[in-house]
Amino acid sequence: MAGRWMTGKAAVLLALTGLMAAAQAAEDKPLWELGAGVAAFSFPSYRGSDQSNNFLMPVPHFTYHGQFLKADRHGVRGSFFDSDRLDLTVSAALSPPANSDDIAARSGMPDLNATFEIGPQIDLTLWRSANRARFVKLLLPVRAAFTVEGSPRDIGWVVHPKLNMDMTDIPGLAGWNLGLLAGPLYGDKRQHAYYYAVAPQYATAARPAYEAASGYAGMQYLAALSRRFPKYWVGAFVRYDNLSGAAFENSPLVRQKDYVAGGIAISWILGESSTRVKVDD
């Protein structure tokens, strides 16, 4: 979830403390479970905006642990190759629309449509505990971005390498899952132009024309905490973005170079599969 949202889970290195217990078998879980809930989010109108949007909305809850398609606390993905240390999957991301009439910096400019991103991702496990309750991975997604509208437009590429750490044995918080994530973002010229370019016809005295360049798009850090109870699921996250040094940081549409976003959600489990499968996170 982000100005660009992602089903967020995890990632920086934490100090490795103590010896882990002997390896344990993968956990039995339902093949699928379905539910519904509500979520509250607070995000900037886009990365670099000095205005925020607050959302309160219903959300679906869906997990699926198939051979190829998986939807769980790590996101929605398709697994093409899965080894003990290396996974090749499909990653996806979604961003909400933004009405330029509601954003002072973009007044008079075209609205920002919702966008959809999809592409391959390589997951490399750098370390995991003996009982598989903690792991550190390097995630390497490359995604093509498109607007969500009647005639979708190709708006470039996004690359977001990140370190990811998940913990399911947090001291004093049995049953809770902690995810940490950190990494830089990169985009091509079309991606940055969609959000940060100012065409001459939209230039004003306070908003000069600007042509965006490709390259570095800032750093992103995220922490997420969640727990699955017998009949419901709860989760929360906080995200920090810093755009200092970004290729587009001098755009007149960048009004704030760092900010904090966050959200909280609760979902009730309405049904689950009677079929059980082995799941090894």
Side-chain angles (χ1 to χ4, degrees):
M1 297 179 281
R4 160 168 311 108
W5 295 21
M6 283 181 209
T7 46
K9 304 309 179 264
V12 286
L13 292 171
L14 295 182
L16 307 179
T17 57
L19 295 175
M20 295 298 161
Q24 64 184 32
E27 185 179 356
D28 270 331
K29 291 185 178 181
L31 175 63
W32 59 264
E33 63 182 22
L34 186 65
V38 64
F41 303 109
S42 179
F43 286 105
S45 300
Y46 56 89
R47 297 182 70 238
S49 174
D50 58 354
Q51 294 179 238
S52 295
N53 290 329
N54 300 315
F55 302 89
L56 180 64
M57 64 186 72
V59 292
H61 174 88
F62 177 67
T63 64
Y64 184 78
H65 302 290
Q67 291 273 332
F68 169 74
L69 179 64
K70 302 179 189 297
D72 54 23
R73 63 192 179 88
H74 301 291
V76 178
R77 62 207 187 277
S79 180
F80 290 104
F81 176 79
D82 186 355
S83 73
D84 191 48
R85 294 288 177 179
L86 185 67
D87 301 332
L88 174 60
T89 66
V90 172
S91 70
L94 180 69
S95 75
N99 189 330
S100 291
D101 290 341
D102 299 329
I103 306 170
R106 293 188 59 87
S107 179
M109 295 184 66
D111 295 338
L112 294 173
N113 291 308
T115 65
F116 176 69
E117 300 171 10
I118 189 167
Q121 175 171 302
I122 295 174
D123 299 352
L124 176 63
T125 300
L126 303 178
W127 173 87
R128 66 171 161 242
S129 61
N131 66 353
R132 297 177 178 261
R134 304 182 184 193
F135 64 73
V136 176
K137 290 185 177 182
L138 175 63
L139 310 181
L140 301 170
V142 179
R143 295 190 298 268
F146 304 90
T147 58
V148 179
E149 54 184 323
S151 299
R153 287 182 291 144
D154 176 358
I155 54 169
W157 291 83
V158 177
V159 181
H160 188 15
K162 45 193 178 284
L163 281 174
N164 162 213
M165 182 169 189
D166 267 9
M167 299 174 59
T168 58
D169 63 344
I170 310 168
L173 291 174
W176 289 87
N177 301 314
L178 173 66
L180 302 170
L181 173 146
L185 290 92
Y186 300 88
D188 69 1
K189 186 174 181 177
R190 285 176 299 159
Q191 170 67 196
H192 292 169
Y194 184 70
Y195 291 98
Y196 304 107
V198 179
Q201 64 267 35
Y202 301 118
T204 66
R207 187 178 62 206
Y210 181 82
E211 185 173 339
S214 62
Y216 178 64
M219 285 290 294
Q220 194 171 91
Y221 307 85
L222 183 143
L225 189 66
S226 64
R227 182 172 179 179
R228 168 69 154 84
F229 292 90
K231 296 297 183 181
Y232 63 97
W233 173 94
V234 294
F237 79 95
V238 62
R239 198 190 81 195
Y240 172 71
D241 276 47
N242 190 305
L243 305 184
S244 297
F248 50 78
E249 72 171 327
N250 293 324
S251 168
L253 300 178
V254 175
R255 298 293 183 89
Q256 187 168 307
K257 293 186 181 180
D258 67 333
Y259 62 87
V260 176
I264 187 169
I266 181 169
S267 295
W268 287 267
I269 310 303
L270 304 178
E272 63 180 38
S273 169
S274 58
T275 302
R276 312 289 291 189
V277 294
K278 294 288 187 183
V279 177
D280 186 353
D281 288 338

